[in-house]
Amino acid sequence: MDPFTEKLLERTRARRENLQRKMAERPTAAARSMTHAKRAREPLSEASNQQPLPGSEEKSCTKPSPSKKRCS
């Protein structure tokens, strides 16, 4: 086997051992899920039902971008 392939195999073996060592140190999946509780997911509401937030009105530019099409 050529030296390059030997180095590659050695690096792969070392990386795999390092990963296995890290995985052994991590808490189990059940313990992790308790510590990192996620917020309950909610479905997106329809865009027509949402009220715009105050101060979020679109500001009209005096000079629109030439790449944007003008709406009538």
Side-chain angles (χ1 to χ4, degrees):
M1 209 179 322
D2 64 340
F4 177 75
T5 307
E6 289 177 3
K7 285 183 181 179
L8 192 63
L9 288 172
E10 176 62 26
R11 285 175 47 203
T12 304
R13 185 193 57 76
R15 188 179 303 122
R16 187 176 298 131
E17 288 176 359
N18 192 17
L19 182 61
Q20 287 175 347
R21 186 171 53 248
K22 285 183 180 180
M23 292 299 287
E25 293 172 359
R26 293 179 69 186
T28 61
R32 272 198 323 265
S33 66
M34 292 299 172
T35 58
H36 299 291
K38 291 185 179 179
R39 242 180 25 185
R41 297 178 69 180
E42 300 171 1
L44 293 173
S45 58
E46 293 293 325
S48 60
N49 295 341
Q50 290 182 346
Q51 297 296 326
L53 296 173
S56 67
E57 304 95 22
E58 291 186 25
K59 297 175 183 175
S60 61
C61 292
T62 56
K63 189 174 181 184
S65 174
S67 64
K68 306 231 172 138
K69 295 181 179 178
R70 298 184 75 109
C71 55
S72 53

